Amino acid sequence: SQTIHQWPATLVQPVGSPLSLECTVEGTSNPNLYWYRQAAGRGLQLLFYSVGIGQISSEVPQNLSASRPQDRQFILSSKKLLLSDSGFYLCAWSGIMGQGFNTIYFGEGSWLTVV
Amino acid sequence: SQQGEEDPQALSIQEGENATMNCSYKTSINNLQWYRQNSGRGLVHLILIRSNEREKHSGRLRVTLDTSKKSSSLLITASRAADTASYFCATASGTALIFGKGTTLSVSS
């Protein structure tokens, strides 16, 4: 069965410090991968998605970047964190959208507090 | 882009009562999904309803879809304290799912 791992679970970082959140998927190949952010009490905002190694699409301009160095690995990064980057970050995977694989499976999330 | 908007934002009920949440979206869809999120956790897929379906059941969940009104509803029957969570509808936009802001359901015993 497929599993998704995301870490670290919680992170407190000072303003201006770098960030690296990592996500890996097991039990499937060539998944679509996603990073979502959820501000406190808010809905989910799609940040990035990837349909293959090295292929990253960004949904919103921001202080963050994403990379997919391996088929089942997705990394969210920042060179210098802002206070506004605080939130709950969720990694997710799916099969190929629109081809009978429409469900997204989420990791447990990473709480980021920028201080 | 397509986006679901849930209504109400918050709902408080007693155990045993039914809970109804609504979702409206803007453009045509192939399917609509509902997800659940326990506090501080990832989202979990509950049910998917296709555009050619009007109603779908899964256990105590009942989902309806009205494509003419671009709306869907999620009914949880005989609610339990364990149903306390946030519920989101989601529609596909290209390669990704776009989520609404969710309905926070509190079920008290």
Side-chain angles (χ1 to χ4, degrees):
Chain A
S1 64
Q2 300 88 1
T3 57
I4 179 169
H5 302 282
Q6 182 180 343
W7 70 93
T10 59
L11 199 58
V12 179
Q13 292 285 98
V15 169
S17 64
L19 170 73
S20 180
L21 300 179
E22 189 164 341
C23 172
T24 59
V25 180
E26 296 176 358
T28 186
S29 58
N30 196 30
N32 286 355
L33 296 172
Y34 310 87
W35 279 110
Y36 286 85
R37 176 170 60 198
Q38 186 176 31
R42 302 287 298 278
L44 278 76
Q45 179 185 35
L46 177 64
L47 300 177
F48 301 96
Y49 68 89
S50 171
V51 299
I53 296 175
Q55 300 179 61
I56 309 295
S57 296
S58 174
E59 288 295 297
V60 294
Q62 57 201 304
N63 184 43
L64 303 168
S65 62
S67 62
R68 183 170 178 174
Q70 300 181 44
D71 181 45
R72 291 170 291 176
Q73 183 184 27
F74 206 22
I75 298 171
L76 183 69
S77 303
S78 174
K79 293 182 179 178
K80 290 186 178 181
L81 285 168
L82 306 172
L83 286 174
S84 58
D85 292 324
S86 294
F88 189 46
Y89 289 82
L90 287 158
C91 182
W93 75 272
S94 75
I96 300 173
M97 280 286 174
Q99 297 188 17
F101 300 98
N102 294 286
T103 299
I104 282 186
Y105 301 91
F106 285 85
E108 286 301 306
S110 297
W111 285 100
L112 170 65
T113 303
V114 182
V115 295
Chain B
S1 62
Q2 302 173 10
Q3 182 179 23
E5 292 290 341
E6 294 87 349
D7 171 65
Q9 288 187 336
L11 181 61
S12 295
I13 59 174
Q14 298 286 321
E15 267 192 325
E17 295 180 338
N18 295 342
T20 300
M21 289 157 268
N22 303 297
C23 169
S24 60
Y25 56 92
K26 296 178 181 177
T27 60
S28 61
I29 59 171
N30 291 324
N31 63 74
L32 184 143
Q33 304 182 45
W34 285 90
Y35 286 75
R36 165 191 168 130
Q37 182 184 32
N38 287 353
S39 180
R41 306 293 296 276
L43 280 73
V44 175
H45 177 257
L46 292 177
I47 195 167
L48 179 153
I49 186 166
R50 302 189 188 285
S51 59
N52 61 353
E53 298 175 308
R54 291 297 168 258
E55 186 171 312
K56 196 164 184 179
H57 296 256
S58 177
R60 293 184 296 111
L61 303 180
R62 172 181 169 244
V63 170
T64 62
L65 180 64
D66 187 334
T67 53
S68 66
K69 295 181 180 179
K70 292 186 171 57
S71 67
S72 173
S73 67
L74 171 67
L75 168 67
I76 304 174
T77 60
S79 63
R80 307 166 181 168
D83 294 327
T84 295
S86 292
Y87 294 82
F88 296 86
C89 66
T91 55
S93 175
T95 310
L97 285 184
I98 305 300
F99 290 81
K101 294 182 179 179
T103 291
T104 299
L105 172 65
S106 297
V107 182
S108 54
S109 55

